[in-house]
Amino acid sequence: MNEFFETSVFFGVFISLLSYGLGIVLKKKWKLAIFNPLLIAVAVTILCLCLLHVDYAVYKEGAACISFLLTPATICLAVPLYEQIELLKKNYKAIMIGIISGVLTSLTSVFLLVLLFRMDYASYVTLLPKSITTAIGMGVSEELGGYVPITVAVIIVTGVIGNMLAETICKVFKISDPVAKGVAIGSSSHAIGTAKAMEMGDVEGAMSSLSIVVSGILTVIGANVFAQFM
Amino acid sequence: MKYLKQFGIILLISFIGEMLHVLLPLPVPASIYGIAILFLCLECKIIKVEDIKETSVFLIEIMPVMFIPAAVGLMDSWKIIRPSLLPYGIITVVTTVAVMAVSGRVVQFIMRRRGKRCPEEMNPGGRDRGNYE
């Protein structure tokens, strides 16, 4: 039976969609942040793979057609950005300063916490690009000498946390403006957070998309500077 | 045919982004080049929004699902992270919350201070601005 799951063409995609569907049902029933569809989907999929003794590599191959769509989908974020360009032009100063302060907060807080936990240089540079999109973050970590697989894991967890807590954090910190919400989500939790911002509204989604691009580029420069501090 | 054409345009831009990623010696992924290219094409009216609208709405809507395979990869990196799970975990949560709070508050503060408070324009879709306050 195990062999069947390993050779099945549709198993990987099906289990991903099924667990995501389960996440949506749970979210509808209990409106708690912990019932985040993405989080539930990942947890349920991992559980199924463990129970059925399917290796990640095998699953990944089967689910490749989902990941394949990621680049085209990310590119589509240019559409809401284009549609909201007037709003962006009108508030570009606030948006840019917001993204810059987000990048600086990310780098500084990583620096301080790494000092607090007495971690080594490699762990430090592993964590520096944690708030930016995976592809750029991996490059930064590799170039500075970090542990790339950990960087990837931390970036994904950051995204899931952002996706899960975005509404709560905005509420607690009284961030009520859609532009501010979008910048906050995009600068802190890249594309995975942006998926949430798109659900919140077009303005949030557009600003979040913009923040991924700008904070990604700024972090490449910033991480190189911050790497000298240790 | 409509969807095929729309998806074709999006894939073409993905492909160009991929090429730039390989050709240029910068740590910029294909998707970021792609966003820039599509945005410029829309701005210069080379591509009209209607040419890709439905497909892009669909792709963005199902985007969370696309992160599942990568995130399930955590089951493999679990072994490497486990020894120092606590510091990594705390740092990840604390910095994510801090960045979101700071960048959001800064944008909101500057927008309001500059007196550009115009609820109609800031709030398309009629969301209630005073909801949380």
Side-chain angles (χ1 to χ4, degrees):
Chain A
M1 198 59 187
N2 177 32
E3 222 164 88
F4 169 71
F5 287 117
E6 298 213 331
T7 52
S8 163
V9 180
F10 302 109
F11 173 70
V13 178
F14 175 69
I15 198 77
S16 310
L17 291 184
L18 183 74
S19 51
Y20 190 75
L22 179 70
I24 290 182
V25 172
L26 287 175
K27 178 78 187 181
K28 265 200 181 137
K29 199 147 190 209
W30 296 283
K31 293 189 183 340
L32 291 169
I34 191 80
F35 292 113
N36 176 278
L38 182 60
L39 183 73
I40 300 285
V42 173
V44 172
T45 305
I46 291 180
L47 189 71
C48 290
L49 295 184
C50 289
L51 289 176
L52 298 169
H53 300 290
V54 177
D55 277 342
Y56 173 62
V58 176
Y59 160 79
K60 194 180 162 196
E61 213 173 290
C65 77
I66 306 184
S67 324
F68 163 82
L69 289 172
L70 196 52
T71 301
T74 311
I75 290 172
C76 290
L77 293 172
V79 177
L81 192 57
Y82 170 75
E83 288 173 333
Q84 302 295 337
I85 190 69
E86 287 312 314
L87 197 58
L88 168 67
K89 280 183 186 157
K90 206 172 143 212
N91 298 299
Y92 83 96
K93 236 183 203 161
I95 293 167
M96 286 304 160
I97 297 173
I99 298 174
I100 293 170
S101 58
V103 170
L104 288 176
T105 306
S106 175
L107 298 171
T108 313
S109 57
V110 167
F111 176 66
L112 294 176
L113 287 166
V114 162
L115 281 186
L116 182 73
F117 288 113
R118 298 199 169 87
M119 294 166 91
D120 57 2
Y121 175 80
S123 309
Y124 173 50
V125 291
T126 296
L127 284 162
L128 275 181
K130 65 166 279 295
S131 280
I132 59 174
T133 191
T134 323
I136 305 184
M138 278 169 74
V140 172
S141 172
E142 195 174 3
E143 192 189 337
L144 295 173
Y147 309 112
V148 177
I150 300 187
T151 302
V152 173
V154 169
I155 289 176
I156 290 171
V157 173
T158 299
V160 175
I161 293 171
N163 187 302
M164 203 167 92
L165 297 181
E167 282 156 333
T168 315
I169 294 173
C170 288
K171 215 173 194 171
V172 170
F173 290 96
K174 296 197 169 68
I175 302 164
S176 55
D177 192 284
V179 175
K181 278 185 189 172
V183 172
I185 296 170
S187 327
S188 63
S189 47
H190 53 92
I192 307 184
T194 301
K196 184 68 178 190
M198 285 298 321
E199 286 168 23
M200 294 163 89
D202 284 344
V203 178
E204 287 90 334
M207 296 307 146
S208 191
S209 315
L210 176 76
S211 308
I212 301 177
V213 179
V214 179
S215 68
I217 294 166
L218 289 177
T219 302
V220 173
I221 306 164
N224 274 288
V225 176
F226 268 73
Q228 313 296 323
F229 295 170
M230 203 167 142
Chain B
M1 271 315 277
K2 186 172 83 178
Y3 291 97
L4 203 59
K5 183 187 154 203
Q6 295 194 347
F7 195 54
I9 293 175
I10 294 165
L11 279 191
L12 173 67
I13 295 171
S14 310
F15 177 63
I16 299 173
E18 202 181 12
M19 262 194 320
L20 289 177
H21 172 67
V22 175
L23 293 175
L24 301 176
L26 298 169
V28 176
S31 54
I32 301 287
Y33 284 124
I35 292 184
I37 296 168
L38 179 55
F39 182 78
L40 289 176
C41 287
L42 290 168
E43 271 287 286
C44 302
K45 317 283 180 212
I46 298 168
I47 297 172
K48 286 192 290 261
V49 174
E50 304 89 79
D51 292 338
I52 50 167
K53 184 72 185 180
E54 286 86 359
T55 306
S56 70
V57 167
F58 172 69
L59 283 175
I60 290 174
E61 199 181 301
I62 62 165
M63 209 168 151
V65 176
M66 300 169 198
F67 295 109
I68 299 174
V72 170
L74 290 175
M75 67 188 269
D76 263 14
S77 38
W78 174 245
K79 284 165 232 123
I80 332 170
I81 299 183
R82 208 174 153 183
S84 36
L85 186 65
L86 198 65
Y88 276 124
I90 293 175
I91 293 176
T92 306
V93 176
V94 171
T95 54
T96 307
V97 175
V99 174
M100 202 181 277
V102 170
S103 52
R105 289 300 304 186
V106 167
V107 173
Q108 194 161 286
F109 174 75
I110 298 175
M111 281 174 70
R112 290 189 177 171
R113 199 193 53 172
R114 290 170 79 218
K116 286 200 171 181
R117 235 159 113 194
C118 186
E120 283 309 306
E121 279 174 64
M122 299 290 171
N123 249 344
R127 260 170 297 248
D128 185 10
R129 149 178 290 268
N131 225 358
Y132 297 136
E133 290 174 1

